[in-house]
Amino acid sequence: MVENSNMAKEKWMSDCVNVRSNGKTEQIKRQNTEHRLSILSIVYNPTAHPTSYLDTLINMLKGNVGCGILAMGDAFKNGGLFLSPILTFIIGIICVYNQHVLVQCSKSVKQKLKLQHNPQFAETVELSFQSGPQRFQSYSVFFRNSVNSFIVITQLGFCCVYILFVSKSFQQVLSWYNIQLDVHVSILITMVPIMISSLIRSLKFIARLSAIANVCMLVGLVVILYYCSIDLPPLSSRAAVAHWTTIPLYFGTSIFSFEGISLVLPLEQEMKKPKQFSTAFGVLNVGMVIVTSLIVLTGFMGYLRFGDAVRGSLTLNLPEEFLLSKVVISSMMFGIICTYTLQFYVPVEILWPKVEKKFGPFRSPLLWDTGLRVILVIITFIAADVIPHLSLFISMMGAVASTFLALIFPPLCHMAVTSADDGGNGYGLFNWRMAMNCATLVLGALGFVTGTYASVYEIFGAFQKVAVIGAVTNTTAGAAAVAANNYTAPAVH
């Protein structure tokens, strides 16, 4: 009995150590979760308390309504006034389905592998393939790295779009004061405040900047929608269905505007009642209905109001005589610069551990971290300067990176987890989930191929047009100079 008592005591002491250890581990995991949420969510205040239904809904709206929504007028021009809303609702339904699939896969791998933490996007993809059939397991690490790579590409793509937005808006405001500025010079000037903002490391300060950014974006969007509702032309004046060659451009921009899939898992895991996230009237469905409705409303009103003259951002269509134009554009420029800081934080957090592992340990980690940030900022500016066409850049980023994150990876994870769990019997009545997965994969592959091709083709066409205009200008200037040299002034008598 003494031996049993000693054994029990040792076990109790071991349990106490494990409890303390687990408590510390859980605290670390909690901090990591808050850290991930704070960098993925727009205007998230790190807190030790779980979020309510309303808090989560607000964070979801903030994470999905961004710069992409201002490009939907151009997207509707490429899709047609009546075809685009139908396609947008279809894409919205598919995106919601894939977000539900991602949440379900995360829960499945956690339960199956008895994990103590909630796996995030990249880890969910890796563990889904690891726990899947043999043919999936060898690709698990590859797909995890692929998810992280596409997240980095997407976030840096957002940053490039923000640079173009700020530089184009700055160029527009200066033109109202009769100051004509080349787009490349405008991008170079924009680099100064953005470079400074990218060096901010304090998440609390970034959260405050993001709060200001979202107020600016919200006020700007309301004013833009108000202006678009003034003096609307008849519906018959706009193309109901655009030419089939421009529809892939619509697809890329539309997918880009649904930019919040990386936010789904952190939001669900931080809720006070996580079950309220995925129910019929849960945060995910209600939030995406609101987001999709805003996207359709903005695109429809923008294209109806401006027609073929609609720009890559609706702010660029605001005229000087409109009383609030300067206020709206200036506030949204500041808001986008603040949002750049938040979006830029994500790729740095993904890439820094890899840099530290490959080149570290460092005597001065702060210096290397600053160097990484400066290099990444320069890369985004070079990319924005090489392709100074806002609408085409948005379409290309949506077709290349957002398509994989929103349409390709979630159904693949679901197929791996479902096949492993119950022999493929979890696809529902008549295997409708398998049909939905296959349809999503086909749509994603088709959108990726056609959207990327159309975007690259249009970008090359834009460069050729600029080259032709430059050649014509030089020829005209040369002819004028020759004429001036051959001109003989009449004699003065």
Side-chain angles (χ1 to χ4, degrees), residues 101-116:
V101 163
L102 187 62
V103 172
Q104 180 183 344
C105 290
S106 178
K107 293 179 179 178
S108 296
V109 295
K110 179 183 178 181
Q111 182 178 4
K112 182 177 180 180
L113 301 177
K114 296 180 173 56
L115 302 176
Q116 297 299 317

Side-chain angles (χ1 to χ4, degrees), residues 413-432:
C413 289
H414 185 252
M415 293 167 69
V417 170
T418 304
S419 298
D421 285 345
D422 49 22
N425 297 323
Y427 291 116
L429 188 63
F430 302 116
N431 286 334
W432 72 270

Side-chain angles (χ1 to χ4, degrees), residues 284-312:
L284 183 54
N285 290 343
V286 173
M288 290 306 295
V289 166
I290 297 174
V291 169
T292 306
S293 301
L294 282 175
I295 290 174
V296 171
L297 177 63
T298 305
F300 187 88
M301 297 295 292
Y303 178 48
L304 178 60
R305 176 67 174 81
F306 301 110
D308 291 338
V310 68
R311 306 285 295 277

Side-chain angles (χ1 to χ4, degrees), residues 242-441:
H243 195 268
W244 65 271
T245 56
T246 63
I247 292 179
L249 294 175
Y250 155 82
F251 177 84
T253 306
S254 181
I255 287 293
F256 183 91
S257 63
F258 291 98
E259 57 190 50
I261 190 168
S262 300
L263 186 63
V264 170
L265 291 179
L267 284 178
E268 187 263 345
Q269 292 160 5
E270 280 296 302
M271 286 192 70
K272 186 183 301 180
K273 300 178 180 178
K275 291 183 179 180
Q276 293 181 341
F277 189 80
S278 303
T279 57
F281 294 96
V283 172
L284 183 54
N285 290 343
V286 173
M288 290 306 295
V289 166
I290 297 174
V291 169
T292 306
S293 301
L294 282 175
I295 290 174
V296 171
L297 177 63
T298 305
F300 187 88
M301 297 295 292
Y303 178 48
L304 178 60
R305 176 67 174 81
F306 301 110
D308 291 338
V310 68
R311 306 285 295 277
S313 172
L314 290 178
T315 56
L316 300 176
N317 285 105
L318 295 178
E320 182 181 4
E321 58 270 15
F322 181 54
L323 193 60
L324 297 176
S325 289
K326 295 185 177 79
V327 176
V328 169
I329 293 176
S330 300
S331 65
M332 295 194 78
M333 284 172 57
F334 178 76
I336 290 297
I337 291 175
C338 295
T339 307
Y340 181 101
T341 307
L342 184 70
Q343 300 288 0
F344 184 77
Y345 205 99
V346 178
V348 172
E349 287 297 299
I350 294 176
L351 294 176
W352 172 249
K354 300 182 182 298
V355 172
E356 196 173 25
K357 181 179 179 181
K358 186 174 181 61
F359 300 102
F362 304 122
R363 290 184 177 179
S364 179
L366 181 61
L367 181 63
W368 280 79
D369 179 78
T370 303
L372 175 64
R373 290 169 181 270
V374 170
I375 291 173
L376 290 178
V377 170
I378 292 175
I379 289 174
T380 59
F381 271 90
I382 291 175
D385 191 55
V386 169
I387 312 176
H389 302 282
L390 183 60
S391 60
L392 297 179
F393 207 116
I394 290 175
S395 180
M396 186 178 70
M397 291 309 307
V400 173
S402 299
T403 298
F404 274 87
L405 293 176
L407 301 180
I408 301 296
F409 292 125
L412 288 177
C413 289
H414 185 252
M415 293 167 69
V417 170
T418 304
S419 298
D421 285 345
D422 49 22
N425 297 323
Y427 291 116
L429 188 63
F430 302 116
N431 286 334
W432 72 270
R433 288 182 178 275
M434 173 60 82
M436 190 70 174
N437 288 340
C438 293
T440 303
L441 290 172

Side-chain angles (χ1 to χ4, degrees), residues 167 170-171 174-175 179-187 189:
S167 60
F170 183 62
Q171 193 180 25
L174 288 181
S175 68
I179 302 175
Q180 302 302 323
L181 197 65
D182 183 73
V183 63
H184 304 290
V185 178
S186 177
I187 290 175
I189 295 174

Side-chain angles (χ1 to χ4, degrees), residues 205-260:
F205 191 69
I206 291 176
R208 292 168 185 168
L209 287 178
S210 299
I212 300 173
N214 280 282
V215 172
C216 295
M217 293 291 291
L218 178 61
V219 172
L221 183 61
V222 170
V223 174
I224 289 171
L225 288 176
Y226 165 74
Y227 180 78
C228 289
S229 65
I230 301 174
D231 298 330
L232 288 175
L235 298 177
S236 57
S237 63
R238 307 297 180 228
V241 179
H243 195 268
W244 65 271
T245 56
T246 63
I247 292 179
L249 294 175
Y250 155 82
F251 177 84
T253 306
S254 181
I255 287 293
F256 183 91
S257 63
F258 291 98
E259 57 190 50

Side-chain angles (χ1 to χ4, degrees), residues 11-321:
K11 183 179 184 303
W12 177 81
M13 292 177 63
S14 176
D15 290 342
C16 289
V17 172
N18 289 334
V19 167
R20 288 194 295 268
S21 177
N22 290 338
K24 185 177 180 180
T25 304
E26 289 301 322
Q27 183 182 3
I28 294 173
K29 289 173 182 175
R30 178 76 179 183
Q31 292 172 351
N32 290 338
T33 303
E34 292 172 356
H35 176 75
R36 285 192 299 268
L37 185 54
S38 63
I39 64 176
L40 291 176
S41 172
I42 298 180
V43 187
Y44 172 77
N45 287 324
T47 175
H49 302 287
T51 55
S52 65
Y53 182 100
L54 183 60
D55 293 335
T56 309
L57 180 62
I58 292 174
N59 281 329
M60 182 164 212
L61 295 178
K62 290 171 182 175
N64 282 275
V65 178
C67 195
I69 196 172
L70 298 175
M72 286 306 297
D74 182 75
F76 272 49
K77 179 188 72 174
N78 292 323
L81 188 64
F82 295 113
L83 178 61
S84 295
I86 298 173
L87 294 179
T88 304
F89 278 116
I90 293 174
I91 292 175
I93 291 171
I94 293 175
C95 287
V96 172
Y97 170 78
N98 284 335
Q99 289 171 357
H100 278 286
V101 163
L102 187 62
V103 172
Q104 180 183 344
C105 290
S106 178
K107 293 179 179 178
S108 296
V109 295
K110 179 183 178 181
Q111 182 178 4
K112 182 177 180 180
L113 301 177
K114 296 180 173 56
L115 302 176
Q116 297 299 317
H117 67 284
N118 297 306
Q120 297 302 312
F121 197 163
E123 189 179 4
T124 296
V125 173
E126 180 184 24
L127 296 179
S128 297
F129 279 82
Q130 278 185 0
S131 59
Q134 187 66 36
R135 63 181 181 274
F136 284 101
Q137 293 177 6
S138 58
Y139 298 101
S140 60
V141 177
F142 168 78
F143 276 102
R144 178 192 179 99
N145 293 332
S146 298
V147 171
N148 282 329
S149 299
F150 279 113
I151 289 177
V152 170
I153 293 172
T154 303
Q155 297 301 125
L156 292 180
F158 290 160
C159 293
C160 294
V161 171
Y162 296 159
I163 292 169
L164 288 175
F165 176 86
V166 174
S167 60
K168 294 278 187 180
S169 300
F170 183 62
Q171 193 180 25
Q172 179 187 12
V173 172
L174 288 181
S175 68
W176 292 343
Y177 295 96
N178 297 322
I179 302 175
Q180 302 302 323
L181 197 65
D182 183 73
V183 63
H184 304 290
V185 178
S186 177
I187 290 175
L188 191 62
I189 295 174
T190 306
M191 185 175 180
V192 177
I194 289 182
M195 179 68 78
I196 294 173
S197 68
S198 68
L199 298 178
I200 298 174
R201 295 172 179 82
S202 171
L203 287 177
K204 287 186 178 181
F205 191 69
I206 291 176
R208 292 168 185 168
L209 287 178
S210 299
I212 300 173
N214 280 282
V215 172
C216 295
M217 293 291 291
L218 178 61
V219 172
L221 183 61
V222 170
V223 174
I224 289 171
L225 288 176
Y226 165 74
Y227 180 78
C228 289
S229 65
I230 301 174
D231 298 330
L232 288 175
L235 298 177
S236 57
S237 63
R238 307 297 180 228
V241 179
H243 195 268
W244 65 271
T245 56
T246 63
I247 292 179
L249 294 175
Y250 155 82
F251 177 84
T253 306
S254 181
I255 287 293
F256 183 91
S257 63
F258 291 98
E259 57 190 50
I261 190 168
S262 300
L263 186 63
V264 170
L265 291 179
L267 284 178
E268 187 263 345
Q269 292 160 5
E270 280 296 302
M271 286 192 70
K272 186 183 301 180
K273 300 178 180 178
K275 291 183 179 180
Q276 293 181 341
F277 189 80
S278 303
T279 57
F281 294 96
V283 172
L284 183 54
N285 290 343
V286 173
M288 290 306 295
V289 166
I290 297 174
V291 169
T292 306
S293 301
L294 282 175
I295 290 174
V296 171
L297 177 63
T298 305
F300 187 88
M301 297 295 292
Y303 178 48
L304 178 60
R305 176 67 174 81
F306 301 110
D308 291 338
V310 68
R311 306 285 295 277
S313 172
L314 290 178
T315 56
L316 300 176
N317 285 105
L318 295 178
E320 182 181 4
E321 58 270 15

